Amino acid sequence: MNIEQELNETPTSVYAPHEWRHGTVVAGVPWKNPVGTASGTFNAYACGRFYDVSQMGSVTTKGVSPVEWLGNPGVRTAESPAATVNAVGLQNPGVDHYLAHDLPYLKDLGATVIANVAGHCDDDYAQVVEKLADSDADMLEINVSCPNVTHGGMSVGTDPVALGKLMDRLRPMTDKPMIVKLTPNVTDIAAIARAAVDGGADCLSMINTLVGMRIDIRTGEPIIANRTGGVSGPAVFPVGLACVWRVRAALPDIPIIGIGGIDSGEKALEYLYAGANAVEVGGAALYDPTAPIRVALELEELLDSRPELTEKLAKGDTWR
């Protein structure tokens, strides 16, 4: 018996099914509620032991590549005050495995699925999008924060020209709503966002992790084998919030999914007031597997007393 079968056969649900009162629409796709799971922090088989994952507004799966990626060598993670630094390296079994196992599993549960697309070069992205173009995924999220050999090892998400060229290639390949996930490691995130939208992005998600590191004071060397990694957790919350605010001001009509440091309904609500259409819970799920559904339920209660906001969300509009 593999782990998927074992976990699926021993459910231990903590949260009962819920009739959601406040749904939303993101780039034309209905969400049961405004809270999804963020890519790379969620395992459907493991989390399914604690709650019905199809209850989430959406489920964003771990980045998928053209072939299996083994990821970076250990040590891969380090703790930091109110944060975690990680350099997992987008380990995944590849798009063929994803189409044969992970995506059917989630769709059979009734989940709204966002497939996260990863690549180390433009050809990688194109190969994955081509295979997902007619799949059952509801949306595609293009992770442009990966180091990209086509552009000298620089993340496509830091260069509006490179991002525009990538989108020009990917956009004609599918009619599925396409999300571009933005990095905060730039001088002007609004300029990158505009390049994504001009290239045909239907939605933006932000933020991906910040660059950070930890040093082992016993050796004087970085703790993580990759030396630097991505910082996530409560510490990045104000950064993500400001990025959403700035991009919403620059692009008033594009749907935005807010990500970064969300571990409560209150923080999710701040993102909605900053101009997000929806949010995703990421780092909190690494220490509390039920965090996404808990945040969704907390937000539901908060939205009950905010009819002006819920009316906008129901139509796919935003507060700001």
Side-chain angles (χ1 to χ4, degrees):
M1 179 183 294
N2 61 34
I3 188 171
E4 290 89 348
Q5 292 171 325
E6 182 178 353
L7 291 173
N8 197 33
E9 291 182 7
T10 56
T12 312
S13 182
V14 175
Y15 290 93
H18 183 74
E19 292 294 328
W20 297 100
R21 299 182 293 277
H22 308 300
T24 190
V25 180
V26 180
V29 178
W31 289 27
K32 302 178 185 74
N33 59 73
V35 182
T37 66
S39 175
T41 60
F42 168 83
N43 181 292
Y45 306 105
C47 292
R49 299 186 67 185
F50 301 104
Y51 65 93
D52 177 1
V53 298
S54 70
Q55 289 267 297
M56 298 305 305
S58 71
V59 171
T60 305
T61 48
K62 185 171 177 59
V64 61
S65 53
V67 296
E68 180 182 11
W69 284 357
L70 299 179
N72 293 326
V75 174
R76 293 178 167 188
T77 63
E79 293 185 1
S80 186
T84 299
V85 187
N86 88 84
V88 173
L90 294 167
Q91 178 179 339
N92 76 97
V95 67
D96 291 334
H97 180 278
Y98 179 78
L99 287 168
H101 300 281
D102 302 328
L103 183 57
Y105 175 77
L106 286 166
K107 295 308 296 183
D108 285 346
L109 293 177
T112 297
V113 180
I114 302 174
N116 182 279
V117 178
H120 287 322
C121 63
D122 291 7
D123 287 345
D124 284 353
Y125 287 106
Q127 289 177 48
V128 175
V129 170
E130 182 179 21
K131 290 195 172 185
L132 295 176
D134 296 319
S135 71
D136 289 333
D138 296 281
M139 309 177 81
L140 304 183
E141 181 180 59
I142 312 301
N143 176 12
V144 295
S145 302
C146 310
N148 191 298
V149 297
T150 309
H151 303 284
M154 179 179 63
S155 163
V156 177
T158 64
D159 181 350
V161 175
L163 178 55
K165 289 180 178 178
L166 178 63
M167 290 301 295
D168 285 344
R169 182 171 179 182
L170 300 183
R171 180 67 278 179
M173 298 177 68
T174 180
D175 292 329
K176 289 187 181 299
M178 190 173 286
I179 306 163
V180 173
K181 188 169 187 177
L182 302 181
T183 174
N185 302 305
V186 294
T187 302
D188 183 2
I189 194 170
I192 305 296
R194 188 172 289 106
V197 173
D198 289 345
D202 302 290
C203 179
L204 303 170
S205 60
M206 66 194 78
I207 54 174
N208 210 326
T209 55
L210 288 84
V211 175
M213 70 185 306
R214 295 300 309 275
I215 298 288
D216 185 339
I217 60 173
R218 295 169 297 180
T219 65
E221 297 299 322
I223 294 174
I224 294 175
N226 195 61
R227 299 186 181 276
T228 62
V231 181
S232 61
V236 310
F237 171 71
V239 179
L241 198 66
C243 287
V244 168
W245 178 281
R246 289 171 181 160
V247 173
R248 173 55 67 218
L251 299 166
D253 299 321
I254 190 72
I256 294 175
I257 301 170
I259 310 169
I262 299 171
D263 55 14
S264 68
E266 288 84 356
K267 287 183 179 177
L269 183 60
E270 284 194 54
Y271 269 100
L272 297 182
Y273 278 136
N277 299 69
V279 301
E280 290 176 359
V281 177
L286 296 176
Y287 60 84
D288 174 12
T290 67
I293 193 71
R294 173 180 55 78
V295 169
L297 290 167
E298 291 175 359
L299 179 62
E300 177 98 327
E301 294 294 326
L302 293 168
L303 290 176
D304 280 344
S305 60
R306 292 165 171 82
E308 299 89 348
L309 177 57
T310 60
E311 288 174 9
K312 290 179 179 292
L313 293 173
K315 296 183 291 185
D317 295 334
T318 62
W319 178 260
R320 199 152 302 281

